[in-house]
Amino acid sequence: MATFAVVAAFALWWFAFPCSCHYLSGSGIGDITGPVADVNLMGYANPMQTAQGLHTRLFARAFVFAEQANPRRRFTYVSMDACMASQLVTLRVVQRLKAIYGDELYSTENVAISGTHTHASPAGFLQYLLYDITSFGFVEATFDAMVQGVVTAIQAAHDSLRPAILFLASGDLTSASINRSPTAYLKNSEEERSMYDTDVDAGMTLVRMADAVSGSGRGALGWFAVHCTSLNNTNRLVSGDNKAAAQLAMEWWAAEAELRALNLLAEVANSTITTADAAPGDDMPNAAVLSMEAAVATSSAALGLEELETPEGGNEPYKTMFHLHPTRGQRHRALAFKPGLHGGVPAQQATPVGTGSPFLRFEPGFVAAMAQGSVGDSSPNTQGAFCLDTGLPCDLASSTCNGRNELCHGRGPAWPDDRASAAIIGLQQFLGAIRLYDTAGMQPPLSAPLDFRSVFLDMTNISVSASEWTRPGRTCPPAMGMSFAAGTTDGPGVFDFTQGDTRGPQLWRLVRNLVLPPSREQQACQAPKPILLDTGQITVPYLWQPRITQISLLRLGRLVIACVPGEFSTMAGRRLKRALKARFATAPNTGGSNDGPEVVLSGLTGTYSSYITTWEEYQVQRYEGASTLYGPHTLDAYIQEFLRLADAMIAGRAVTSNVQPPDLELHQVSLFAPVVLDWVPPSASFGDVTEQPQPSYWHGQTARAVFRAANPRNNLRINLTFMAVELLITAFEEDHPGIETAAALIWLWQRQRQRRSAAAIEAPVATDSRTSPCGQELGANGSAALAKQWRTVYDDRDWVTRFKWERLNRLSPESFATLEWDIPLAVPEGTYRFRY
């Protein structure tokens, strides 16, 4: 009966949207974590911020889209848990794909790789020197892990390619970001600013991927602009920051929802509940609704957010403001909800009436990505910027405290707990994403065409013509301004630099003129930027910043993805999207929809070339303007070239690049020291427990154990783990294997389980399983019989675990690993142990 109801609902849905399967889609995931010790963390350019362990593993999430009628016509989009894309990584990934699949299927034209912009990922993977200075040059381990992980993700997506139905929805999430440079934004014309309700890009767009046969969810790809700087520049653990929190929560949600749906269907089949009890109802919550609500709660618990209290005087961290963008025939709907402490949302928001099947269904291996957008001036530190010494707000124009930039820091929603702030900003994105996922299923599916165009640009001397969208001028060779060194409120700089300075400190102007004075032509071209580093003229030992960048357009029906090689400010992104939307609105065949084109901006994609602001914002010379490499007409040049790509796509013309990027891998310099020696005292062994956990713990406490360790750089444990929390079970369940026997993301799906409330749990016991200097498990008590008594329930991919590694002192070969687990309220009572 239950099976018939589900099939009947799907049949009704299928005939409601005839001929809806125009695409093939596939998704995959790959581990790109890299080294988690000693290496500099990329983003804040702080040489003292080196890795000392792992908070969450980093992943590449790949999606392949192809035409069903012509499967060789396809493109690949990858979102990495990395600070940005790397031109050299893209070149190597495409090179490996060609070696696997031949020269025709994948190229730099149809492979787009973006970064989420986490400032807690290992550095050293870019081929231009300026971005690798604080990591002491190129870090081969970071680069290799990233390339291999991206290739693995694309291979998985390629192998899972099959008929799919794609849905699209968009809305505004206004509670997860603020503008960190509002004075620069205000320099844009009042007429332009009046087009928008906020000074930050609050738009969220999501593609929902459903299997064409079963209708089950196979993946979700979204875009939302917010800096991954919830974890500040004192953090020493590798982490995906708030984007990882959003993605992990959505993947948890899908797995929990599917497990609960299967349980409910089983109850219907066993006549424990009736079909009517499980089906949607208008008057009261039903089993399906409560099941989805519980799945949302579980995802919130997975981020450790059950009982977080609002700091005194702070904003409400859980208050989510979300507005759906209406489509034709739909009236505008707005939503403002405050989840309970367990993350529950009103029932109608999770499972709306009239969507067909009473249950959302998901396939194993569901992949969710929340990619980056116009991130340039957006900040997750939603309480604003305050002075460390006085507690008062920073000076708005200069972002200083008593004239010093170092004291001005942004505060996240759970300040001073940055990890909780990252979880909350991630939760906000997750709640917005599942709202869109739900809404997308009620929209007409996307339909043809599928298309792509890409071109490499020499950004050092592009002539820009006057048009409706651009002002005349030309671009310049790259240069960094004085305010670049002032940093931002997310990560302040050093010395006496300040934001919004169009002259620069006199001392530093003197130093610049003595060391590397810019030419008069360069100063005039970059004006009013006071140049600190004229990187365009530095070629020793190799290029310091890119001269050649890449832009791409990807199209799925009415969805147009503009892939940009840097961090666009809010208004810069809005201008580009407006221009492209106007151009595509006049094009025939917008994908079978009357709603017109939906343009999203994919930030930090293909190449990284710092920031892109509007001409007006550039005049202020805050950090973003000072980091706009190619002068005040950078944005105009990109808009002009994107419109040329759009014209070629609409007309069906091929485009060719007149320039190609350099391959500088053989020129890379690395001063990053290798691991020299790992050592323990003669009476000790690697893996010995030096600090046992407490005898027992309550929910909400943190369990902790310390082991004698080796440097984790010896073995990156790709697709494995540095730590695990294991539960002692009385009977081994063959249908729920542990993660040690699973591959890629399957571990996440397989380990989902029904949870029960408990007041207390027995303490984790540290195992005597050893780790050798090369990081290989020696398995002192890893017999087959014993292995069947313990099941891994958490590992280093989870938000609530931490693997910390440190030496006794800077030069000591002796080191220790501290394993920590924040015990969620939903964890069942039992006996647990740590495994290192």
Side-chain angles (χ1 to χ4, degrees):
M1 181 66 181
T3 303
F4 173 78
V6 172
V7 172
F10 179 74
L12 289 173
W13 168 82
W14 177 270
F15 287 112
F17 300 116
C19 304
S20 55
C21 181
H22 296 270
Y23 306 106
L24 308 176
S25 81
S27 57
I29 194 166
D31 188 344
I32 63 168
T33 304
V36 300
D38 300 326
V39 67
N40 185 240
L41 297 182
M42 185 65 186
Y44 291 114
N46 178 1
M48 304 304 294
Q49 189 190 13
T50 54
Q52 290 184 344
L54 181 62
H55 173 220
T56 64
R57 281 199 170 266
L58 308 179
F59 294 100
R61 292 171 169 87
F63 303 86
V64 176
F65 302 98
E67 286 185 348
Q68 187 177 32
N70 179 17
R72 297 190 68 82
R73 186 169 187 80
R74 63 179 63 191
F75 66 78
T76 298
Y77 184 89
V78 181
S79 178
M80 300 189 298
D81 293 331
C83 195
M84 65 280 289
S86 162
Q87 196 173 70
L88 188 59
V89 167
T90 300
L91 293 176
R92 284 297 168 272
V93 166
V94 169
Q95 186 180 65
R96 292 197 187 182
L97 292 176
K98 286 179 179 291
I100 298 169
Y101 301 109
D103 292 336
E104 304 297 326
L105 208 55
Y106 298 107
S107 70
T108 55
E109 295 182 1
N110 68 348
V111 174
I113 304 174
S114 67
T116 61
H117 207 37
T118 172
H119 283 43
S121 63
F125 58 93
L126 298 171
Q127 68 170 346
Y128 298 102
L129 184 63
L130 182 67
Y131 304 118
D132 287 344
I133 287 178
T134 56
S135 62
F136 297 101
F138 192 71
V139 180
E140 188 175 358
T142 302
F143 177 79
D144 289 345
M146 189 174 290
V147 170
Q148 184 55 53
V150 172
V151 171
T152 298
I154 294 176
Q155 285 182 287
H158 175 98
D159 292 342
S160 65
L161 199 67
R162 61 182 188 272
I165 303 172
L166 308 180
F167 301 93
L168 181 69
S170 62
D172 290 323
L173 176 61
T174 58
S175 52
S177 60
I178 62 170
N179 194 309
R180 70 186 187 188
S181 289
T183 55
Y185 181 87
L186 288 173
K187 292 300 180 181
N188 296 301
S189 71
E190 184 177 357
E191 178 184 7
E192 187 174 31
R193 287 185 282 114
S194 67
M195 299 178 185
Y196 307 97
D197 296 329
T198 64
D199 63 357
V200 69
D201 187 352
M204 178 182 284
T205 300
L206 183 133
V207 177
R208 171 176 171 173
M209 303 159 215
D211 185 79
V213 176
S214 67
S216 297
R218 299 181 56 206
L221 172 57
W223 292 267
F224 179 72
V226 63
H227 254 85
C228 269
T229 50
S230 294
L231 302 175
N232 68 24
N233 59 9
T234 63
N235 168 61
R236 304 293 290 273
L237 301 182
V238 170
S239 174
D241 207 297
N242 59 64
K243 289 286 183 183
Q247 294 164 160
L248 290 171
M250 194 162 189
E251 289 164 352
W252 265 96
W253 170 74
E256 286 285 349
E258 174 64 11
L259 180 61
R260 292 172 186 276
L262 290 172
N263 289 338
L264 283 174
L265 288 172
E267 291 187 47
V268 171
N270 295 330
S271 300
T272 306
I273 60 175
T274 66
T275 304
D277 291 332
D282 293 323
D283 54 348
M284 61 180 294
N286 52 38
V289 168
L290 295 175
S291 175
M292 291 305 300
E293 187 174 324
V296 174
T298 299
S299 297
S300 176
L303 300 180
L305 291 178
E306 297 110 329
E307 289 190 325
L308 184 71
E309 295 183 0
T310 304
E312 184 176 354
N315 60 355
E316 296 181 82
Y318 283 104
K319 186 175 182 182
T320 300
M321 296 298 297
F322 193 82
H323 302 269
L324 289 172
H325 290 174
T327 57
R328 294 182 189 273
Q330 279 192 318
R331 56 186 184 84
H332 185 76
R333 295 185 293 168
L335 170 67
F337 63 89
K338 182 178 180 180
L341 292 180
H342 290 273
V345 297
Q348 65 272 19
Q349 297 166 15
T351 307
V353 176
T355 56
S357 169
F359 310 112
L360 280 177
R361 301 300 303 277
F362 298 90
E363 290 192 355
F366 180 91
V367 178
M370 185 54 63
Q372 198 54 267
S374 303
V375 68
D377 50 6
S378 71
S379 171
N381 294 311
T382 52
Q383 291 196 52
F386 293 84
C387 297
L388 294 179
D389 54 349
T390 65
L392 298 174
C394 305
D395 177 74
L396 190 62
S398 63
S399 297
T400 58
C401 301
N402 298 317
R404 297 180 59 190
N405 68 68
E406 300 96 318
L407 298 176
C408 180
H409 280 259
R411 293 181 179 179
W415 181 85
D417 188 338
D418 287 342
R419 192 168 62 254
S421 289
I424 290 171
I425 297 300
L427 179 69
Q428 299 268 346
Q429 294 174 75
F430 158 65
L431 292 174
I434 62 172
R435 182 80 163 113
L436 291 181
Y437 190 91
D438 171 36
T439 303
M442 297 183 285
Q443 311 303 317
L446 291 174
S447 57
L450 180 149
D451 210 347
F452 55 88
R453 294 291 186 281
S454 184
V455 67
F456 290 106
L457 303 172
D458 183 349
M459 286 298 296
T460 62
N461 190 22
I462 292 179
S463 178
V464 183
S465 301
S467 72
E468 176 186 2
W469 304 104
T470 58
R471 65 177 67 222
R474 71 176 181 88
T475 58
C476 324
M480 302 297 282
M482 295 283 183
S483 294
F484 150 73
T488 72
T489 56
D490 292 336
V494 292
F495 304 119
D496 54 347
F497 294 99
T498 59
Q499 294 196 67
D501 187 354
T502 56
R503 286 185 52 81
Q506 184 175 355
L507 172 62
W508 289 101
R509 294 202 310 271
L510 176 62
V511 171
R512 175 204 64 189
N513 291 336
L514 289 174
V515 177
L516 193 68
S519 67
R520 291 184 178 180
E521 292 78 12
Q522 175 74 325
Q523 292 185 68
C525 187
Q526 292 274 356
K529 177 193 291 181
I531 297 173
L532 175 63
L533 293 172
D534 190 12
T535 54
Q537 67 168 305
I538 309 176
T539 59
V540 177
Y542 42 89
L543 293 176
W544 278 44
Q545 286 185 301
R547 295 171 172 265
I548 297 172
T549 67
Q550 181 183 14
I551 60 172
S552 302
L553 284 177
L554 311 174
R555 186 176 182 186
L556 283 172
R558 70 183 188 91
L559 174 64
V560 178
I561 307 166
C563 300
V564 301
E567 303 178 57
F568 273 52
S569 70
T570 294
M571 192 60 84
R574 285 169 169 171
R575 283 188 193 173
L576 174 59
K577 289 190 286 187
R578 271 203 328 271
L580 287 171
K581 186 168 185 175
R583 190 60 54 94
F584 277 99
T586 63
N589 193 357
T590 57
S593 171
N594 295 321
D595 295 312
E598 178 77 27
V599 179
V600 299
L601 187 148
S602 172
L604 306 119
T605 305
T607 312
Y608 184 67
S609 57
S610 296
Y611 285 73
I612 299 92
T613 65
T614 67
W615 184 90
E616 294 85 351
E617 292 164 347
Y618 186 90
Q619 308 307 306
V620 182
Q621 282 298 292
R622 281 181 63 83
Y623 176 85
E624 295 82 13
S627 302
T628 297
L629 299 189
Y630 309 110
H633 297 285
T634 300
L635 173 61
D636 297 301
Y638 279 128
I639 291 176
Q640 173 180 278
E641 300 306 315
F642 263 111
L643 290 176
R644 288 176 176 171
L645 272 189
D647 290 340
M649 180 177 284
I650 293 168
R653 296 194 313 268
V655 295
T656 57
S657 299
N658 296 323
V659 294
Q660 292 293 320
D663 184 333
L664 301 177
E665 184 174 4
L666 295 180
H667 300 275
Q668 295 301 303
V669 172
S670 179
L671 302 178
F672 185 54
V675 178
V676 176
L677 177 65
D678 285 302
W679 179 85
V680 294
S683 60
S685 300
F686 289 102
D688 281 352
V689 180
T690 62
E691 181 182 326
Q692 286 281 358
Q694 297 176 17
S696 64
Y697 290 89
W698 293 90
H699 290 100
Q701 291 185 310
T702 299
R704 181 177 186 270
V706 182
F707 296 77
R708 289 195 176 276
N711 194 313
R713 287 167 55 197
N714 293 318
N715 186 332
L716 303 186
R717 307 289 293 168
I718 293 174
N719 293 318
L720 298 171
T721 184
F722 286 110
M723 66 166 291
V725 177
E726 298 176 340
L727 170 65
L728 180 64
I729 57 175
T730 56
F732 187 72
E733 300 171 5
E734 292 294 339
D735 57 335
H736 291 92
I739 65 168
E740 293 125 333
T741 61
L745 190 61
I746 300 302
W747 68 272
L748 181 62
W749 198 272
Q750 291 174 326
R751 74 180 184 183
Q752 302 311 300
R753 60 204 180 280
Q754 292 285 8
R755 302 174 187 270
R756 54 193 173 92
S757 300
I761 65 172
E762 195 170 333
V765 177
T767 74
D768 62 352
S769 167
R770 315 284 187 192
T771 299
S772 75
C774 292
Q776 300 296 327
E777 292 181 1
L778 302 181
N781 55 0
S783 67
L786 183 59
K788 289 190 175 183
Q789 297 176 12
W790 293 93
R791 179 177 302 148
T792 300
V793 289
Y794 292 96
D795 65 10
D796 64 15
R797 313 172 197 215
D798 286 290
W799 190 266
V800 293
T801 62
R802 289 176 299 283
F803 167 75
K804 297 180 178 180
W805 178 84
E806 60 183 345
R807 297 182 177 91
L808 275 180
N809 58 66
R810 186 177 181 83
L811 298 179
S812 174
E814 186 178 6
S815 64
F816 297 86
T818 301
L819 313 187
E820 293 181 349
W821 174 37
D822 296 331
I823 304 170
L825 294 183
V827 166
E829 177 183 359
T831 300
Y832 294 77
R833 73 178 184 183
F834 282 118
R835 179 178 290 276
Y836 164 57

